[in-house]
Amino acid sequence: MTAESQKYWTGDPAEILRVGDGSRLDEIDPSSTPGYEGGKSKGKKDLSSGEKELGELQERLYARSQAEVTNASVLLVLQALDCAGKSGIIRHVVGAVDPQGISVSAFKQPTDEEKAHDFLWRIEKALPEAGYIGVFDRSHYEDVLIARVRELAPADEIERRYDAINEFEKRLTDGGTRIVKVMLHISSDEQKRRLMRRLDRPDKHWKYNPSDVDERMLWPKYMEAYQIAIERTSTDAAPWHVIPGDHKWYGRVAIQALLLAALEDINPKWPVADYDVEAEKARLAAS
């Protein structure tokens, strides 16, 4: 990141937010803003100033894929319980750049066709092409989260999936994809407030589902499932980042920083013209 876009971070956000050995979700304060000293007003300004940098890097990545063969892409995996702010991330962070070169996939309950295949079958079909930033609004991790909590698969199958995910993600990163895995860590109290606000606003009723309350009753089981999944699948190739989610502005600034880091690691260059620029200028001037 440039000095302008990281001046309020006390260190590298990718390292600050990365899950370490022995990390516990119950020891991470969902209302905290680790590594960022700017506060909400500065965070909003930084988010705005970072859009230009993110937009240029994304355009360079996409342009390179259109002009020549490249295997580079970015995959943002967003996982969270309801109301944690995933849609806001897509709208205010990813949505701030040119939609050309962006793909977004939301994984709901699998269809009968999808159930007839391995759980990663539908995920493979939604992977971003080279030159794209792909976003998974929920992901293959649903198959070790809700599937574990709701016992939608046998215990031995759930166990198999952790290793399958690690092998799958290693294959992706070996192939040129930078994976940014994020859990937005919201508190139960904040989720309750956000759900209540949905009920208070007629324009938000469509986002509310009575089953949301049923899922809240399983909060401890979900936290346990997330803890196990993060411990089993945070690897050098695709580490997990836990982002406190009670402050939406912080989540957006943090994820923008992680995406910038992934794109800077790729460091895409503008494609060089495969024609004589000066000759084309002369032809155009004479036309």
Side-chain angles (χ1 to χ4, degrees):
M1 288 180 289
T2 65
E4 182 65 24
S5 63
Q6 66 177 352
K7 59 185 177 182
Y8 293 109
W9 287 99
T10 60
D12 181 357
E15 292 302 318
I16 292 170
L17 298 167
R18 179 172 176 163
V19 170
D21 292 339
S23 295
R24 296 285 311 172
L25 288 175
D26 55 13
E27 295 175 353
I28 298 174
D29 180 1
S31 67
S32 64
T33 58
Y36 193 82
E37 297 182 331
K40 183 175 182 179
S41 61
K42 296 290 193 308
K44 288 185 174 182
K45 290 180 180 178
D46 280 356
L47 186 68
S48 179
S49 65
E51 289 175 3
K52 182 178 180 181
E53 185 180 2
L54 186 65
E56 181 179 329
L57 285 166
Q58 181 263 342
E59 187 179 1
R60 279 160 39 184
L61 176 66
Y62 181 74
R64 200 158 185 84
S65 74
Q66 299 301 296
E68 60 186 54
V69 176
T70 179
N71 64 356
S73 64
V74 176
L75 175 61
L76 172 61
V77 175
L78 290 176
Q79 282 294 151
L81 295 178
D82 290 328
C83 296
K86 297 190 307 302
S87 60
I89 297 296
I90 295 171
R91 184 183 310 112
H92 296 287
V93 179
V94 181
V97 303
D98 190 337
Q100 186 173 234
I102 299 292
S103 65
V104 179
S105 301
F107 294 96
K108 307 295 184 181
Q109 183 175 346
T111 64
D112 289 340
E113 180 186 18
E114 290 166 344
K115 289 178 181 177
H117 295 80
D118 183 72
F119 76 105
L120 289 171
W121 180 77
R122 64 174 181 165
I123 308 300
E124 292 264 13
K125 294 171 63 178
L127 290 172
E129 299 175 35
Y132 279 68
I133 296 176
V135 182
F136 283 177
D137 180 1
R138 299 185 188 271
S139 66
H140 40 301
Y141 284 96
E142 293 296 287
D143 294 287
V144 292
L145 292 170
I146 188 171
R148 185 185 187 96
V149 172
R150 290 291 187 178
E151 299 181 351
L152 302 178
D156 59 344
E157 169 61 14
I158 299 293
E159 286 299 311
R160 180 192 74 83
R161 290 176 181 177
Y162 297 119
D163 289 337
I165 286 172
N166 289 338
E167 292 170 5
F168 168 67
E169 292 179 346
K170 181 64 163 58
R171 174 164 56 83
L172 293 185
T173 57
D174 285 348
T177 300
R178 273 63 169 183
I179 302 176
V180 179
K181 293 194 302 195
V182 169
M183 179 207 176
L184 287 167
H185 184 32
I186 190 175
S187 67
S188 177
D189 288 344
E190 179 62 19
Q191 185 199 55
K192 185 175 183 178
R193 283 191 288 270
R194 293 181 187 180
L195 285 171
M196 190 62 74
R197 284 199 293 269
R198 289 182 179 180
L199 290 172
D200 287 338
R201 293 180 54 178
D203 63 323
K204 298 295 184 183
H205 287 175
W206 67 274
K207 297 185 73 174
Y208 181 87
N209 190 312
S211 66
D212 293 339
V213 177
D214 298 327
E215 294 301 298
R216 276 181 56 77
M217 303 301 290
L218 298 171
W219 191 278
K221 289 188 175 181
Y222 272 109
M223 289 298 99
E224 179 185 19
Y226 267 103
Q227 182 68 44
I228 293 170
I230 288 171
E231 289 176 353
R232 295 285 297 274
T233 62
S234 191
T235 64
D236 290 338
W240 272 103
H241 298 85
V242 174
I243 299 180
D246 281 8
H247 297 295
K248 291 182 179 180
W249 66 266
Y250 176 76
R252 294 167 187 174
V253 171
I255 290 178
Q256 185 189 72
L258 295 177
L259 286 176
L260 281 169
L263 286 164
E264 287 168 351
D265 184 56
I266 295 172
N267 192 23
K269 306 296 185 182
W270 289 115
V272 177
D274 58 0
Y275 50 83
D276 188 324
V277 175
E278 294 306 317
E280 290 305 307
K281 285 182 179 180
R283 290 181 65 236
L284 181 59
S287 66

